[in-house]
Amino acid sequence: RKEVEQDPGPFNVPEGATVAFNCTYSNSASQSFFWYRQDCRKEPKLLMSVYSSGNEDGRFTAQLNRASQYISLLIRDSKLSDSATYLCVVNRGGYGNKLVFGAGTILRVKS
Amino acid sequence: GAVVSQHPSRVICKSGTSVKIECRSLDFQATTMFWYRQFPKQSLMLMATSNEGSKATYEQGVEKDKFLINHASLTLSTLTVTSAHPEDSSFYICSARDPASGSYEQFFGPGTRLTVL
């Protein structure tokens, strides 16, 4: 079983749609959690950190459930420019604070 | 946010040659940098953790004699792919954390696309 698992998609949605991505992680000692966005042939860029209390940044809402070891990302009012691969990322903690990446979920927003 | 650069952005080489990739933190000092590899349609896989002034820590399955890492200063880490073969063709990305920020966020370089013929 992979340490971080995501539905690979692709999710094909029309502009304006609301879309939700899920992620589960297996290491209960994981300390911090992130969603990154990666465009084709580019480096990943931090979209947002994820907190237990839930957090929102504009059209993006992230949730963390430590008991279920589950992370989610909700995108409202999808834009064409949201098309990308969304990576669920977990910080294992410990020496070096290593990040473990999920395989990513592909989102395609169409007009 | 902090800026990390990588050089070169793209390299094409013949099988058997060695390729050096540089990763620099431009506006902060990074005692630790990370090297990742990403094959097409796959996620980033951590190869090694580069520590300034000491030996790198390699992930299981990554050959340290094949992928030489040198972190000689607080702003520069290099990855050398020795005797590269076509199966080493991949997207290599470095990242660094700014310890002064107090956050776990890692800042990624733009990546180096290696093609071995």
Side-chain angles (χ1 to χ4, degrees), chain A residues 38 43 46 96-98 102, chain B residues 34 38 43 51 59 104-105 109:
Chain A
Q38 186 174 25
E43 78 276 21
L46 180 66
N97 289 300
K98 297 176 183 177
Chain B
F34 303 87
Q38 185 176 32
S43 191
N51 305 297
E59 294 299 299
Y104 288 124
E105 182 179 358

Side-chain angles (χ1 to χ4, degrees), chain A residues 31-32 34 36 38 40-46 87 91-92 95-104, chain B residues 10 32 34 36 38 41-44 46 49 51 57 59 91 93 97 104-106 108-111 113:
Chain A
Q31 295 187 351
S32 50
F34 310 91
Y36 277 75
Q38 186 174 25
C40 189
R41 303 173 79 82
K42 299 282 189 182
E43 78 276 21
K45 292 187 187 290
L46 180 66
L87 305 173
N91 184 318
R92 260 189 215 156
Y95 177 74
N97 289 300
K98 297 176 183 177
L99 296 183
V100 181
F101 285 77
Chain B
R10 186 172 182 176
T32 303
F34 303 87
Y36 296 85
Q38 185 176 32
K41 299 189 187 296
Q42 295 186 28
S43 191
L44 277 74
L46 179 66
T49 303
N51 305 297
T57 305
E59 294 299 299
F91 191 43
I93 310 176
R97 193 173 70 87
Y104 288 124
E105 182 179 358
Q106 289 184 18
F108 286 83
R113 195 161 298 281

